[in-house]
Amino acid sequence: FRIGFSAFTFALFHAFYEPVFFIFPADIETILGTGDNRRRKLESVLNAFVGSFFRVAEVLKLQRAEDERRRQEWAAAEERRKVEAERQRKEEARRREEEKRLKELEDLACRWHRARKIRDFLEFVEQAVVKKHGELKLESELGRWLYSSRELANSLDPVLV
């Protein structure tokens, strides 16, 4: 009975209940003695042949362990990336909210300052008229203008609204 294998022989092996195709390296020819076309009985090389399956299974086991380690490292790195991205997203949202609140506060301060300037101006006008004429009648055109202008200034003031 003659056994002949090429340099790369495929064999089906069920390791851990998974079908796996092995490619045997060229040194399997040395184990099986096919490189020099010698005739050997199957029984004389069977032990070495079966032993090669166990060596290949051990290599595959180590490769699977390494693959699993790399997969876990990748998953951990991906999880860290997601956590960091979420942290950055929250920080950006917090910063935008703070910027929005600051803008609103500045707007309120500007409106208050504007209303105050208008009221100060109206007060100055009223005092100048009273100083010049002695009194200011509310029924006069200037009196009505001062009244409506104060109402307008008050409507701008966020403290009074």
Side-chain angles (χ1 to χ4, degrees):
F1 184 77
R2 186 169 179 230
I3 302 173
F5 289 93
S6 66
F8 294 99
T9 303
F10 291 95
L12 182 61
F13 186 73
H14 291 274
F16 309 106
Y17 304 104
E18 295 177 21
V20 179
F21 284 97
F22 291 100
I23 300 175
F24 292 103
D27 67 333
I28 197 70
E29 290 182 352
T30 306
I31 294 171
L32 298 178
T34 60
D36 57 1
N37 289 329
R38 287 184 286 174
R39 293 177 177 250
R40 290 190 179 182
K41 288 188 175 184
L42 178 61
E43 294 82 13
S44 67
V45 294
L46 191 57
N47 211 15
F49 184 71
V50 171
S52 69
F53 277 112
F54 287 109
R55 286 189 296 277
V56 170
E58 185 62 29
V59 168
L60 283 178
K61 182 179 175 183
L62 292 173
Q63 286 175 344
R64 285 182 181 152
E66 179 65 17
D67 290 346
E68 179 61 19
R69 184 190 63 78
R70 285 181 183 159
R71 188 197 62 74
Q72 288 176 354
E73 282 179 2
W74 182 86
E78 183 68 15
E79 182 63 26
R80 285 190 302 272
R81 187 197 65 74
K82 286 180 181 177
V83 167
E84 178 61 20
E86 180 65 17
R87 186 196 65 75
Q88 287 178 356
R89 187 193 63 76
K90 285 180 180 178
E91 178 64 25
E92 181 64 23
R94 185 198 61 76
R95 188 194 60 74
R96 281 193 309 268
E97 181 62 29
E98 190 175 278
E99 187 69 29
K100 179 182 172 187
R101 287 184 15 234
L102 181 60
K103 186 170 175 51
E104 289 172 355
L105 182 61
E106 288 173 343
D107 182 54
L108 289 174
C110 286
R111 287 176 45 206
W112 174 80
H113 186 46
R114 185 176 178 198
R116 184 173 159 222
K117 279 178 24 179
I118 292 172
R119 280 195 296 267
D120 288 348
F121 171 73
L122 295 174
E123 183 67 31
F124 176 77
V125 169
E126 184 178 358
Q127 287 176 2
V129 168
V130 169
K131 190 175 189 180
K132 185 175 183 181
H133 298 292
E135 70 174 321
L136 176 65
K137 294 184 180 181
L138 295 176
E139 302 84 29
S140 70
E141 188 177 334
L142 184 59
R144 289 190 305 270
W145 178 80
L146 283 173
Y147 179 79
S148 64
S149 296
R150 279 194 182 106
E151 290 295 315
L152 181 61
N154 289 342
S155 71
L156 293 175
D157 192 341
V159 176
L160 299 179
V161 173

